[in-house]
Amino acid sequence: MHDEKLEPPPEIMVKGLSPLPDRLAKGDVIETWLYDEHKVPQKVFRSSGALYTLRRSGAIEDCHVVAAEMWARDYETGVLGARDPEAGKSGAKSDIEYAMLSRAAAVSRCQSVQRNLGEISQRFLQAMMIDGLSVNQMSKVMRKEHRKVSGAIELLLEQLVELYDTLPGQIMR
């Protein structure tokens, strides 16, 4: 487990497909923009059935969902090169300086999560929030019992909330 990366099954990561309207209505699909190898922005959709299933079951709370979504946005912005969703909210076109500062802050927060919670926590977050794996899929990949994976995610999200609470600024407040 320590050396392997949690890879999604090939059928999970189908690029270019849009979710069905009923799936969008559920609220568990997020739209984001990533740049391809030619620096052209491409619309992609992110879903985390594991996160929202745990929330609906009562295993985690809203603050855990918010922390996981914040981490995913930071990872997409800082590591994968997505546009910061906050940049265009004022209606004006974002400037390059703001985009660079935003990306640097996102990378810093991702590094803080990895440094404080560890590489395995980072892989769990990536599998759940970026690759869109369900708890069942993670259980199969890791060859661990469903309840152990679910418990590990619950603990990870609790630690993530605590970590974001200690970071400077108004992140979780």
Side-chain angles (χ1 to χ4, degrees):
M1 169 62 199
H2 295 290
D3 295 319
E4 66 189 70
K5 183 177 184 240
L6 297 178
E7 292 290 340
E11 67 273 11
I12 298 295
M13 297 301 291
V14 178
K15 300 289 184 199
L17 294 180
S18 296
L20 298 171
D22 62 326
R23 187 71 193 274
L24 285 170
K26 277 183 158 181
D28 64 349
V29 176
I30 305 293
E31 177 184 303
T32 191
W33 291 84
L34 297 178
Y35 292 98
D36 66 12
E37 64 274 2
H38 305 292
K39 303 291 184 201
V40 176
Q42 302 291 321
K43 183 179 4 177
V44 295
F45 295 91
R46 168 173 43 89
S47 175
S48 176
L51 182 71
Y52 303 111
T53 299
L54 289 170
R55 177 62 190 116
R56 281 191 295 274
S57 74
I60 61 173
E61 300 172 10
D62 289 340
C63 63
H64 301 113
V65 172
V66 169
E69 289 176 342
M70 288 172 55
W71 178 88
R73 189 180 85 193
D74 283 342
Y75 190 85
E76 289 169 342
T77 302
V79 178
L80 298 179
R83 288 191 304 199
D84 183 1
E86 300 296 318
K89 291 222 174 174
S90 66
K93 192 172 184 180
S94 62
D95 64 17
I96 190 69
E97 182 180 351
Y98 178 81
M100 290 175 65
L101 290 172
S102 178
R103 180 158 296 146
V107 167
S108 177
R109 287 188 297 269
C110 284
Q111 288 172 339
S112 182
V113 168
Q114 187 170 5
R115 185 175 50 255
N116 288 290
L117 302 184
E119 179 64 33
I120 292 176
S121 294
Q122 179 90 356
R123 281 187 266 168
F124 262 112
L125 285 167
Q126 207 171 337
M128 181 174 63
M129 298 304 297
I130 304 302
D131 299 336
L133 296 183
S134 69
V135 174
N136 286 335
Q137 291 166 327
M138 285 188 262
S139 299
K140 287 177 187 172
V141 170
M142 297 169 59
R143 296 180 196 91
K144 302 279 185 198
E145 291 179 35
H146 181 276
R147 65 182 172 82
K148 287 184 178 181
V149 172
S150 180
I153 292 170
E154 291 170 34
L155 176 61
L156 162 62
L157 293 176
E158 189 65 37
Q159 292 173 323
L160 187 62
V161 168
E162 286 183 21
L163 177 63
Y164 276 143
D165 276 343
T166 63
L167 293 177
Q170 296 285 332
I171 294 179
M172 287 294 291
R173 294 171 201 100

